[in-house]
Amino acid sequence: MLHVKNLTFSYNKIPVLKDISFKAHTGEHIAIIGESGSGKSTLLKVLYGEYDLDKGHIFWKDEAILGPKYNLVIGYDFMKYVAQEFDLMPYITVEENIGKFLSRFYPEEKEQRTAELLKVVELTKFAKTKVKTLSGGQKQRVALARALAKQPEIILLDEPFSHIDNFKKQSLRRSVFKYLKNKNITCIVATHDKEDVLGFADKMIVLNDNKIAVNDAPETLYKNPKTPLIASFFGEFNIINKKIVYAHQLQVVEHSKLKATVKQSYFKGHYYLIEAELNAETLFFEHYQNLEKETVIYLSIEKNNL
Ligand code: ADP
Ligand code: MG
């Protein structure tokens, strides 16, 4: 279990992380979310032991994770960290980059393990390619495979799929997260992408104002988003009578008290996102078809339509 107790950290004088406490059980998948600059990357670096804490403690099982003041070499064998800016060895192949961390005394095992990891990150075809010729997304996948090479007990991933195009993202995400669950590897993922969270994370920690705003199951937070910040993570929403209402919870009806005027329709695939005006305020709802500008419509809130 990872145990973070009252962690406070500042680069200069002003704390970037204030009084952070949470736990991650073995095999659990925790997502750290928050706006850009909220301290997600800093938190992962601190967990990795890259910096000394101002206050607090971090434990993995019974072992304290300590910063550079106490450790000559940063990092621990049981923990791997894939930074937002991954550093690979450009002049050797993908296969060699991954194998670098595996024992050369067992060539057969090394080969098998490398092949397995290449499959997880969907790079089998690129095994013999020199890293310097890869795209950003491909390099990111090599960095992931390399972190997994010597099976860690816990892995820290910073925006792990940010450089990967949408064509590959979904399947890669499933492949990597499935692998981590199967191997019972604890994983802490910093992200601003809800696709990295929904369907995968057991818990979702929202960072805001240097603190943990909430820490709960994504489903719980989705169904009852306590703040606009949390709601905005899940999608378009409105505040109607002081309540958060997702765009898909609004339905066009024949008549209601919510009378709005259509301003714009956006094609979104299986629905249109409609921008409308209600009492001089902008409102969003989803609709099965395009609506003409200036059409007057009535809306009702479907409370159960979460
Ligand atoms: P996120 O990953 O959520 O975008 P970061 O952890 O990168 O946020 O940054 C959190 C805050 O810490 C930001 O205000 C950023 O400017 C600051 N920061 C990040 N790295 C450093 C650093 N090495 N030195 C000083 N300030 C930093
Ligand atoms: Mg970051």
Side-chain angles (χ1 to χ4, degrees), residues 14 102 202:
I14 311 144
L102 297 171
D202 300 302

Short mmCIF file of all heavy atoms in Angstrom, two decimals, residues 14 102 202:
data_model
loop_
_atom_site.label_atom_id
_atom_site.label_comp_id
_atom_site.label_asym_id
_atom_site.label_seq_id
_atom_site.Cartn_x
_atom_site.Cartn_y
_atom_site.Cartn_z
N ILE A 14 6.23 29.21 -1.79
CA ILE A 14 4.78 28.98 -1.82
C ILE A 14 4.48 27.51 -2.09
O ILE A 14 4.96 26.95 -3.08
CB ILE A 14 4.13 29.86 -2.91
CG1 ILE A 14 4.62 31.30 -2.76
CG2 ILE A 14 2.61 29.79 -2.88
CD1 ILE A 14 4.79 32.01 -4.09
N LEU A 102 16.72 -5.27 -18.47
CA LEU A 102 16.56 -6.69 -18.17
C LEU A 102 17.93 -7.36 -18.14
O LEU A 102 18.85 -6.93 -18.84
CB LEU A 102 15.67 -7.34 -19.25
CG LEU A 102 14.25 -6.79 -19.32
CD1 LEU A 102 13.54 -7.34 -20.54
CD2 LEU A 102 13.47 -7.12 -18.06
N ASP A 202 -9.99 3.27 -10.04
CA ASP A 202 -10.80 2.90 -8.88
C ASP A 202 -11.17 4.15 -8.09
O ASP A 202 -12.25 4.26 -7.55
CB ASP A 202 -10.01 1.93 -7.99
CG ASP A 202 -9.65 0.67 -8.73
OD1 ASP A 202 -10.57 -0.01 -9.20
OD2 ASP A 202 -8.44 0.37 -8.87
#
